[in-house]
Amino acid sequence: MDNNFWGKISKEHDEIQALGSKPVDFPQNSFSDDYSIINLIKNFNNYNRNDIQKFIVNYFTDIVHYKEDEFIDGILIPSIKRFGNLFADCSKYISSTINKYDIIYLTKVISKNIDKLRNNKISDENIFNIVLCYNRNLAEKILSSIRCDISNDDISRLIMNKYSTEEDMDSIVRSIMFVNNIICDHRPMMDVRDIISLYHVLYDHMTDVLVGVMHDVDINIRSKDSEYQEMYGRCTLALLDYLEMQRYDVILKSMENYVQIHYEHYAQYPVRFNILTISRSDYPRILNAYYQLQQMNIIVP
């Protein structure tokens, strides 16, 4: 992890907090109260850095939720090309008031349009810097949840992956696969506790983790190198340990949901392992839930 990056952000954050309720002192510019985003896009090159910065800070929500293509093509790309990290820098002026749903939406839009940004010669460094600056709280949670080094790029990718998924299970399964790939890329540093912490930070529901990991199956696992196999096994153990530590009602409901989702969407696909093969001494509550579901004629795959 690049400590210089967080050191710089922390210094800027402290400076902004020290302002208290004092308004940010931007130079006067030509924007009037009724100045529209359309005019900003049309005349973007006529305004200087301070003009654009003030507009983004004052109208952040309107800008982020504006027509997606016009926001990307007319504001985000030209602001990066002309002023580098301007859009990212604006985050420090609105960090205490910004709506988290605006941050999530911005991250979704960037993730969805990452190929377009790259095709317009916007570097990953600039893209990831925006993601990190506006998602500082989540980035710090990810960083504090694991004890091994992880790069800014990987943290940004995890954040974009979290917010790029929709609510359907296919998206969540793909999301878990992506997270597990990053985990395996950090072999052998990331242990079971780190993986559990990462799942906890990134996913709100135990069902998502259970369904996602159980359907993230590498059928060629035996042909992979020993370190990859070790990390693959750690992801399995992390799932089991994480599930076992839940309240019993959460275990039971998560497993019931898993069964329903499997047979509705993934019945033709293999699962990661047979739950009956796990140790009763290690996972008694999971097996108790398994047999309780069996008595209800709910067969866990």
Side-chain angles (χ1 to χ4, degrees):
M1 181 69 187
D2 183 358
N3 291 324
N4 290 332
F5 176 86
W6 287 116
K8 176 185 176 186
I9 296 300
S10 295
K11 181 175 182 295
E12 290 172 342
H13 179 75
D14 292 342
E15 289 171 351
I16 297 306
Q17 292 301 310
L19 289 173
S21 59
K22 180 182 176 182
V24 178
D25 185 20
F26 288 112
Q28 291 296 314
N29 60 66
S30 59
F31 291 129
S32 61
D33 291 339
D34 61 352
Y35 191 85
S36 69
I37 296 174
I38 295 174
N39 285 331
L40 171 67
I41 293 172
K42 287 173 60 177
N43 299 290
F44 194 93
N45 290 329
N46 295 332
Y47 297 99
N48 61 34
R49 181 186 179 93
N50 288 327
D51 290 337
I52 303 300
Q53 182 170 260
K54 183 171 183 180
F55 192 87
I56 292 172
V57 168
N58 289 341
Y59 301 96
F60 180 81
T61 297
D62 296 322
I63 289 171
V64 167
H65 291 275
Y66 195 63
K67 299 172 186 176
E68 188 173 303
D69 286 342
E70 294 188 36
F71 164 65
I72 293 291
D73 295 330
I75 297 176
L76 189 61
I77 289 174
S79 73
I80 295 173
K81 286 187 172 181
R82 284 189 65 197
F83 306 117
N85 287 329
L86 168 64
F87 201 91
D89 289 344
C90 289
S91 67
K92 61 181 178 281
Y93 298 107
I94 52 179
S95 61
S96 62
T97 59
I98 193 169
N99 186 314
K100 71 175 183 178
Y101 298 107
D102 291 343
I103 296 174
I104 293 171
Y105 188 78
L106 170 65
T107 308
K108 282 178 177 285
V109 169
I110 290 175
S111 178
K112 180 179 176 181
N113 289 276
I114 193 166
D115 289 338
K116 175 185 279 192
L117 292 168
R118 287 168 172 163
N119 290 338
N120 278 273
K121 304 190 185 310
I122 304 300
S123 69
D124 281 0
E125 180 181 1
N126 277 317
I127 296 169
F128 295 157
N129 195 27
I130 293 172
V131 173
L132 285 173
C133 286
Y134 284 95
N135 289 276
R136 175 180 171 152
N137 289 339
L138 178 56
E140 289 182 338
K141 285 181 181 178
I142 292 172
L143 186 60
S144 64
S145 72
I146 56 180
R147 293 165 294 171
C148 66
D149 288 334
I150 185 169
S151 69
N152 293 338
D153 289 2
D154 280 344
I155 290 176
S156 300
R157 289 187 178 99
L158 287 169
I159 292 170
M160 286 193 292
N161 176 71
K162 173 179 173 64
Y163 290 142
S164 67
T165 57
E166 303 299 333
E167 293 302 317
D168 63 285
M169 284 312 306
D170 283 346
S171 296
I172 291 170
V173 170
R174 286 194 297 271
S175 170
I176 289 278
M177 289 178 178
F178 177 86
V179 173
N180 286 347
N181 283 337
I182 286 188
I183 290 169
C184 288
D185 285 344
H186 285 80
R187 58 186 187 271
M189 297 178 291
M190 201 174 290
D191 64 16
V192 171
R193 195 184 88 174
D194 292 327
I195 298 169
I196 291 173
S197 297
L198 201 54
Y199 288 158
H200 179 71
V201 168
L202 294 175
Y203 298 98
D204 298 327
H205 306 290
M206 187 66 235
T207 295
D208 294 346
V209 179
L210 178 59
V211 173
V213 176
M214 288 300 288
H215 292 101
D216 178 17
V217 180
D218 188 341
I219 60 175
N220 298 312
I221 184 66
R222 295 184 182 276
S223 65
K224 301 296 177 65
D225 63 73
S226 59
E227 285 189 351
Y228 177 89
Q229 291 184 35
E230 172 68 20
M231 295 307 297
Y232 186 86
R234 287 182 191 178
C235 290
T236 302
L237 289 175
L239 167 65
L240 288 169
D241 287 356
Y242 190 32
L243 182 59
E244 180 71 18
M245 68 176 63
Q246 306 298 316
R247 297 193 322 267
Y248 184 75
D249 63 306
V250 173
I251 297 173
L252 188 67
K253 187 61 179 176
S254 298
M255 291 178 64
E256 184 179 359
N257 292 340
Y258 160 59
V259 172
Q260 180 180 350
I261 292 167
H262 173 78
Y263 288 117
E264 286 182 359
H265 300 283
Y266 304 108
Q268 70 273 34
Y269 298 108
V271 295
R272 197 176 185 98
F273 60 88
N274 185 332
I275 288 181
L276 277 180
T277 62
I278 67 178
S279 165
R280 172 164 283 280
S281 60
D282 292 331
Y283 305 108
R285 299 163 77 242
I286 294 176
L287 284 172
N288 287 344
Y290 176 94
Y291 289 116
Q292 183 174 341
L293 290 172
Q294 191 175 60
Q295 291 175 355
M296 299 162 59
N297 293 321
I298 298 174
I299 307 304
V300 182

